[in-house]
């Protein structure tokens, strides 16, 4: 099985890729996983920490092969509001529930995207927002404790430059009416 040795971030990649791997958000946030490329090749990600792959990243393989990452479309709720204050209020409630949230800038004040969840959509509506269910790649904000990862080898013997991704077992609990099982980073 071919092994991933470095990751070139989108926009930094020089040479074109010779294959593609289509991944949803969860698959792009892994530490160890075998991926199947579009050409049915098996490639191994074996990193010390979750790799936090983004759309357009290029996975450089030990044999010189290059595989481009494509973010798959997922069912998302896009939340908009009449004012920035309303959108910030909704964002606070999403953050209070530790929901992965994508910030979408726009001239109309922008939007928030979360994975489709009818309970959270109802909450956003109750807070004055509007909700549309869409199909789009999901690229939520990284955690406050997530580090930068730029073009370093994901191997366990290479200890720096990797994203500090989601970890479970964070040692605290919250009393919420609706609380999802989730991944988030703590330092």
């Amino acid at each position: 099985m071919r092994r991933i040795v470095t990751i070139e971030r989108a926009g930094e990649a020089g040479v074109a890729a010779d294959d593609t791997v289509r991944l949803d958000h969860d698959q792009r946030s892994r530490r160890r996983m075998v991926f199947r490329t579009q050409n049915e090749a098996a490639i191994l990600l074996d990193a010390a920490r979750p790799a936090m792959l983004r759309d357009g990243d290029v996975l450089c393989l030990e044999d010189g092969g290059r595989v481009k990452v494509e973010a798959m479309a997922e069912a998302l709720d896009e939340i908009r509001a009449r004012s920035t204050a309303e959108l910030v209020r909704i964002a606070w409630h999403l953050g209070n529930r530790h929901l992965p949230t994508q910030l979408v800038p726009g001239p109309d004040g922008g939007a928030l995207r979360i994975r489709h969840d009818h309970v959270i959509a109802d909450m956003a509506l109750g807070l004055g927002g509007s909700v549309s269910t869409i199909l789009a790649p999901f690229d939520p904000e990284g955690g406050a404790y997530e580090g930068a990862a730029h073009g370093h080898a994901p191997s366990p013997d290479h200890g720096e430059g990797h994203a500090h991704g989601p970890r479970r077992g964070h040692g605290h609990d919250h009393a919420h009416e609706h609380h999802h099982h989730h991944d988030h980073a703590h330092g």
Side-chain angles (χ1 to χ4, degrees), residues 121-137:
D122 288 346
M123 178 199 73
L125 292 169
L127 292 168
S130 63
V131 180
S132 303
T133 301
I134 64 169
L135 282 176

Side-chain angles (χ1 to χ4, degrees), residues 31-184:
R31 185 193 74 74
R32 182 174 168 82
M33 184 169 183
V34 174
F35 299 121
R36 281 267 170 222
T37 70
Q38 294 297 324
N39 293 335
E40 294 297 320
I43 58 174
L44 174 65
L45 173 68
D46 186 15
R49 297 182 184 99
M52 309 307 286
L53 302 173
R54 303 271 186 205
D55 187 57
D57 286 352
V58 174
L59 308 175
C60 302
L61 308 178
E62 62 191 346
D63 64 1
R66 297 170 57 81
V67 178
K68 183 176 182 178
V69 175
E70 283 186 6
M72 288 176 49
E74 302 179 53
L76 306 175
D77 289 333
E78 187 167 88
I79 303 167
R80 297 186 178 274
R82 293 180 300 256
S83 69
T84 301
E86 283 182 351
L87 195 61
V88 167
R89 185 169 168 230
I90 294 167
W92 184 89
H93 283 276
L94 297 175
N96 193 40
R97 286 161 178 77
H98 301 284
L99 292 174
T101 303
Q102 181 177 350
L103 308 177
V104 182
D108 60 348
L112 305 169
R113 288 183 182 165
I114 62 170
R115 283 203 169 110
H116 176 65
D117 182 320
H118 69 90
V119 173
I120 299 300
D122 288 346
M123 178 199 73
L125 292 169
L127 292 168
S130 63
V131 180
S132 303
T133 301
I134 64 169
L135 282 176
F138 187 46
D139 195 21
E141 287 295 301
Y145 301 101
E146 184 177 303
H150 297 284
H152 293 290
S155 63
D157 58 326
H158 188 80
E160 60 182 335
H162 299 287
H164 298 251
R167 289 179 277 186
R168 293 191 189 274
H170 51 279
H172 67 273
D173 193 31
H174 302 277
H176 296 304
E177 313 80 350
H178 181 79
H179 191 74
H180 288 272
H181 292 284
H182 58 278
D183 289 336
H184 63 142

